[in-house]
Amino acid sequence: KKAANQDLAAPPKPPQDAPKPMPYKVPPPVPKSRFQRRHWGIVLSFVLMVALPVLLSAWYLWERTTDQYASYAGFSVRTEEASSAMDLLGGLGALSGSSSSDTDILYKFIQSQGLVATIDAELDLRALWGKADPDQDPVFAYHGPGTIEDMLDYWVRMVKVYNDSGTGLIDLEVRAFTPEDATRIAEAVYAESSAMINRLSAIAREDAIRYSREELATAVERLKVARAAMTKFRNRTQIVDPEADIQGQVGLLSSLQAQLAETLIEVDILRQTTHEGDPRITQAERKVMVIEVRIEAERKKLGIGGEGDEANAFATLVGEYENLYVDQQFAEQSYTVALAAYDAAQAEARRQSRYLAAHIAPTKAEQAEYPQREVLLFLVGLFLFLIWAVVTLVAYSLKDRR
């Protein structure tokens, strides 16, 4: 039984013609790594490209740079929406709106060359920013005197403006080499910005006043012409009010017709009570004839009956008077409306519709915030390390291609 178990456990013997297996070769052990020339080159390049520049940057930042103080301010453009009493006439004093946002205009204005030149003339920015010695600190100091373009480039570095278009708020950060100088520059920027907003409001108000003034001048001239034409008509016709003359003429005609009726009745009575040839009948008939002639003349004056220009003379005068009267009434109404618009524009001009409101007054720093040495040193080290790593990888890839 034991022999049988050994036979089962023994592996089968290979055939006589089977190839013999090759012996397995064990690779030699890896030798210990040793510094070679290329490794020393990497270390040297790291020292030259990263370590040494970082040390030089740290020495420059802590030993040569001049402290900078920051003053902060925040403001926004506010619009006055109060209505004046003249608006009851139909809103004649309303000003037109602006097509651009006031904060966007102000944002561009603070970075403009005109503002830099104005504040430089007021505060002498070259002297304020020239307190840092450019020989000691050539990176952060201002190299004077320079041109206005040089001053504008340095202004962009030292004056930061942040505009939030959603809320309409503007945040201002001004840097200088003393706290007092930073505050003075920030106050000057705020004052000039407020003056600029006031100028924009003044231009808008002047446009409205100019338009209303022109309309008023036109209305006054029209009224003068209408009244002069009416005066000329009255001097020519010797009639002040044709309607009153018409009423008088109608009253006179009615009176003459009443007298004519009474006289005709008197003639009829005389013919019935006296004999033919009575001088009273002759006198009454003469009176009737005179009254009829007078009635006919008065009817011609009124344009009732008759022929030619004489019959239509008074009617023509009345028509001419009515045309002149309509023109005068229209001129007076136009003058009233134009005068109301001009008064409303004047009232709007006396009210400041837009103004600059500061929610953060220019601050005065107690300690220097700039330059941010730790942040700058970290950024310098990071970028130098990235540049060194890229250069090293490129060098090794080129070496592997050979």
Side-chain angles (χ1 to χ4, degrees):
K1 183 176 181 180
K2 184 176 181 181
N5 290 337
Q6 290 179 353
D7 293 339
L8 293 174
K13 294 181 179 182
Q16 295 297 329
D17 56 351
K20 295 181 179 180
M22 296 294 294
Y24 179 74
K25 294 182 179 181
V26 178
V30 178
K32 294 183 179 179
S33 60
R34 292 175 298 176
F35 260 86
Q36 299 181 6
R37 184 180 299 177
R38 64 176 181 273
H39 297 153
W40 289 109
I42 294 175
V43 173
L44 181 61
S45 65
F46 179 82
V47 171
L48 293 177
M49 296 182 64
V50 180
L52 185 60
V54 168
L55 292 176
L56 290 175
S57 300
W59 172 80
Y60 183 86
L61 288 172
W62 268 270
E63 296 295 332
R64 305 298 297 271
T65 57
T66 307
D67 290 338
Q68 299 177 8
Y69 299 85
S71 176
Y72 298 93
F75 43 82
S76 60
V77 180
R78 310 298 296 175
T79 303
E80 181 63 43
E81 298 294 343
S83 60
S84 63
M86 299 304 298
D87 293 341
L88 298 176
L89 295 175
L92 298 175
L95 295 178
S96 60
S98 176
S99 59
S100 301
S101 174
D102 292 330
T103 54
D104 294 338
I105 296 175
L106 193 60
Y107 176 78
K108 292 295 184 180
F109 172 75
I110 295 176
Q111 302 178 80
S112 65
Q113 179 176 319
L115 178 63
V116 175
T118 301
I119 296 182
D120 181 41
E122 179 181 351
L123 300 180
D124 192 3
L125 292 176
R126 291 177 171 85
L128 296 182
W129 283 335
K131 294 180 179 180
D133 188 3
D135 296 332
Q136 177 183 350
D137 185 9
V139 176
F140 297 98
Y142 175 71
H143 299 266
T147 62
I148 187 62
E149 289 78 12
D150 298 333
M151 179 66 67
L152 181 60
D153 293 338
Y154 196 73
W155 174 276
V156 175
R157 293 174 54 187
M158 301 295 283
V159 178
K160 302 296 182 180
V161 188
Y162 307 97
N163 177 22
D164 189 349
S165 58
T167 59
L169 301 179
I170 293 180
D171 293 324
L172 181 68
E173 177 187 335
V174 180
R175 304 177 193 174
F177 298 105
T178 63
E180 294 77 11
D181 293 343
T183 303
R184 290 176 60 193
I185 296 174
E187 291 175 347
V189 171
Y190 176 78
E192 292 297 328
S193 300
S194 179
M196 191 273 294
I197 291 298
N198 292 336
R199 287 195 297 270
L200 292 179
S201 299
I203 292 173
R205 291 194 297 267
E206 181 58 29
D207 289 341
I209 293 175
R210 183 177 65 252
Y211 175 76
S212 60
R213 187 187 298 117
E214 293 174 356
E215 290 295 321
L216 180 60
T218 302
V220 169
E221 188 65 26
R222 184 185 295 115
L223 182 59
K224 288 181 179 179
V225 172
R227 288 182 174 178
M230 180 65 73
T231 302
K232 184 178 179 181
F233 169 80
R234 287 171 176 170
N235 293 333
R236 177 172 55 85
T237 60
Q238 298 297 316
I239 299 175
V240 177
D241 189 357
E243 295 182 356
D245 288 352
I246 289 175
Q247 293 178 0
Q249 290 295 117
V250 171
L252 177 60
L253 185 60
S254 300
S255 177
L256 290 175
Q257 290 177 346
Q259 293 181 14
L260 178 60
E262 293 178 357
T263 306
L264 289 175
I265 293 174
E266 183 180 352
V267 170
D268 292 339
I269 293 174
L270 289 174
R271 285 177 179 174
Q272 292 178 5
T273 58
T274 60
H275 57 84
E276 189 70 25
D278 192 330
R280 291 179 298 175
I281 296 176
T282 303
Q283 185 178 2
E285 289 177 348
R286 187 179 294 110
K287 184 177 180 181
V288 169
M289 183 180 62
V290 171
I291 292 175
E292 288 178 348
V293 172
R294 176 51 55 193
I295 289 174
E296 184 65 23
E298 296 299 329
R299 289 171 64 89
K300 288 181 179 180
K301 287 183 180 180
L302 292 175
I304 304 175
E307 297 178 357
D309 295 337
E310 184 179 356
N312 299 323
F314 205 83
T316 303
L317 292 177
V318 172
E320 183 179 354
Y321 173 81
E322 290 178 349
N323 291 334
L324 294 175
Y325 181 76
V326 169
D327 292 341
Q328 183 176 344
Q329 290 294 318
F330 178 76
E332 290 177 351
Q333 293 177 2
S334 300
Y335 172 76
T336 302
V337 174
L339 182 60
Y342 181 74
D343 291 339
Q346 290 280 41
E348 181 70 18
R350 289 189 294 268
R351 180 170 58 89
Q352 188 178 15
S353 59
R354 281 190 303 234
Y355 60 92
L356 199 65
H359 57 271
I360 299 177
T363 60
K364 183 178 180 180
E366 295 185 355
Q367 66 177 4
E369 296 184 44
Y370 296 94
Q372 297 177 338
R373 295 176 173 86
E374 294 81 3
V375 176
L376 291 177
L377 185 62
F378 172 76
L379 293 177
V380 169
L382 176 62
F383 283 103
L384 289 176
F385 177 78
L386 293 176
I387 294 173
W388 170 80
V390 171
V391 171
T392 302
L393 292 176
V394 170
Y396 266 87
S397 63
L398 293 178
K399 183 178 179 181
D400 293 340
R401 285 175 174 267
R402 295 177 180 177

